[in-house]
Amino acid sequence: MGSPIVLGIESSCDETGAGLVRDGRLLGHAIASSMDEHARYGGVVPEVAARAHVHSLRPVVRRALNEASLRLSDVGAVAVTTGPGLSGALQVGLAGAKGIAYALGVPLHGVHHLAGHVAADTLEHGPLPDPCTVLIVSGGHTALLLVRDLVRDPILHLGDTLDDAAGECFDKVARVFGLPYPGGPAIDRVAREGDPRAVSFPRPLTGARDDPYAFSFSGLKTAAARWAEGHAGRELPVADGAASLQEAVADVLTRKAVAACAEHGVGTLVVVGGVAANSRVRSLAEERCRAAGIELRVPPLRLCTDNGAMIAAVGDLLVRAGAEPAPLDVSIDPSAPLEYAALHPLSARSAGGAKEVAA
Ligand code: KG4
Ligand code: ZN
């Protein structure tokens, strides 16, 4: 008997994902997205997302099992995103995961969503080297990390964003440019027709006295909005604006990530999260890593954005590391900081107990 098959469930935002992983190998996965239902509001509507998860969870788990030619009874452990994310959305995934784990009598593991993004890469490129530098760039987070053993060691933050996340910057500027939601892929698409040198957008926090690994994207967002306003009454050269914005974001992200590898003597850079799907982020990271003699790892596009396979990947690592499962009354943590890959916020009972002690 090898290690158990781990079912991973992701429901932190607008994607319902289920994935099956064993021994670092992806056996099957499926995703349903409520993106289209949010498009007309220009952003994710939490209630709509939560309701969509209720409808999608069972069919998505079923599709993942079918793709892997497995039955539910083959599942030996369940991993689920318990944070960070939208609280109603997280609740639905956790309730479903608890039901399955309880019915099957198998362990349940609470997983940090961002650790899932990191682990996604292992499904394509194998175990992560220890140590590696990880650049996480998603819609809600931008962080530069030093990762040792992803499920055993604490995750060290070299730098984080002081304001907006990189994906948030793309999403908000896309709106100002009149591009559809989600903005990142739309900017990436129209940028192909534009000139990245057309507009000289700022490169925030890249001065000699700035924190070398901290990020800031709200000034860049404002600069892009001002540039668009400056065209009032005239046609906006959207392609040039998009290409120039994308160049600024890719430049700052990759410059800082490569510098972190060099300073810490780390030979591998892993770029993960939704914005790792960006074509310019990928190509510039490749160019700069090659020049610096750093190995670059970026998950394939389908594993960059939110999915259940990445949560199963963390679950599989936890199970094989002999991690303690979460209690069945474990709760969600919508604003969990990334400290460890396993996320076991206090269970309802012990949280209540802690409060009684405090009072
Ligand atoms: O990781 P993810 O799927 O969800 C979060 O955990 O936030 O990331 C979503 C973010 C959104 O901001 C989206 O606009 C951005 O990733 N994104 C992209 C691309 N594809 C997705 N940004 C730039 N270029 C892309 N090709
Ligand atoms: Zn994500």
Side-chain angles (χ1 to χ4, degrees), residues 8-186:
I9 292 176
E10 154 64 31
S11 73
S12 66
C13 193
D14 57 350
E15 256 94 41
T16 316
L20 293 148
V21 170
R22 172 193 237 162
D23 281 331
R25 276 194 36 240
L26 177 59
L27 307 175
H29 81 128
I31 300 174
S33 178
S34 58
M35 196 179 281
D36 296 344
E37 296 174 57
H38 308 290
R40 66 191 175 109
Y41 303 104
V44 177
V45 183
E47 267 304 310
V48 173
R51 214 169 329 121
H53 289 305
V54 172
H55 289 291
S56 302
L57 193 60
R58 274 177 59 99
V60 160
V61 170
R62 176 58 42 213
R63 268 167 47 211
L65 287 166
N66 287 346
E67 194 190 294
S69 302
L70 291 168
R71 286 179 308 213
L72 191 58
S73 55
D74 295 321
V75 168
V78 180
V80 60
T81 306
T82 45
L86 302 169
S87 92
L90 290 166
Q91 298 275 17
V92 176
L94 178 58
K98 281 181 180 180
I100 295 171
Y102 184 68
L104 295 176
V106 301
L108 176 72
H109 290 272
V111 168
H112 195 290
H113 177 78
L114 295 179
H117 277 299
V118 181
D121 186 67
T122 65
L123 298 174
E124 185 75 11
H125 300 120
L128 292 171
D130 172 4
C132 57
T133 303
V134 177
L135 173 66
I136 295 195
V137 270
S138 74
H141 297 85
T142 301
L144 200 48
L145 313 168
L146 194 65
V147 173
R148 304 209 66 110
D149 184 317
L150 181 63
V151 296
R152 287 190 173 92
D153 296 324
I155 295 164
L156 182 71
H157 289 243
L158 301 174
D160 289 272
T161 181
L162 305 180
D163 39 59
D164 292 356
E168 195 178 352
C169 175
F170 279 133
D171 292 337
K172 288 178 176 167
V173 172
R175 224 174 149 169
V176 175
F177 285 4
L179 296 170
Y181 168 85

Side-chain angles (χ1 to χ4, degrees), residues 231-267:
H231 288 76
R234 290 174 293 147
E235 199 189 329
L236 188 66
V238 173
D240 283 347
S244 301
L245 175 79
Q246 183 173 275
E247 190 65 24
V249 172
D251 179 17
V252 172
L253 290 176
T254 56
R255 204 193 293 190
K256 290 183 178 243
V258 168
C261 289
E263 192 192 316
H264 291 269
V266 176

Side-chain angles (χ1 to χ4, degrees), residues 147-314:
V147 173
R148 304 209 66 110
D149 184 317
L150 181 63
V151 296
R152 287 190 173 92
D153 296 324
I155 295 164
L156 182 71
H157 289 243
L158 301 174
D160 289 272
T161 181
L162 305 180
D163 39 59
D164 292 356
E168 195 178 352
C169 175
F170 279 133
D171 292 337
K172 288 178 176 167
V173 172
R175 224 174 149 169
V176 175
F177 285 4
L179 296 170
Y181 168 85
I187 295 231
D188 200 343
R189 220 163 29 241
V190 303
R192 287 170 217 272
E193 314 296 323
D195 176 4
R197 286 166 312 237
V199 195
S200 57
F201 284 129
R203 304 295 198 255
L205 298 183
T206 53
R209 277 188 294 278
D210 290 323
D211 182 331
Y213 307 133
F215 300 96
S216 167
F217 291 103
S218 86
L220 188 51
K221 172 189 69 186
T222 308
R226 292 280 168 282
W227 173 80
E229 281 165 21
H231 288 76
R234 290 174 293 147
E235 199 189 329
L236 188 66
V238 173
D240 283 347
S244 301
L245 175 79
Q246 183 173 275
E247 190 65 24
V249 172
D251 179 17
V252 172
L253 290 176
T254 56
R255 204 193 293 190
K256 290 183 178 243
V258 168
C261 289
E263 192 192 316
H264 291 269
V266 176
T268 303
L269 172 65
V270 191
V271 185
V272 299
V275 179
N278 183 267
S279 59
R280 187 54 182 151
V281 170
R282 295 172 88 98
S283 67
L284 197 54
E286 238 162 69
E287 209 176 282
R288 290 182 170 169
C289 282
R290 199 180 319 118
I294 295 164
E295 178 205 17
L296 174 69
R297 294 175 46 148
V298 190
L301 289 181
R302 70 196 155 80
L303 294 178
C304 280
T305 44
D306 293 349
N307 64 82
M310 68 188 201
I311 304 305
V314 177

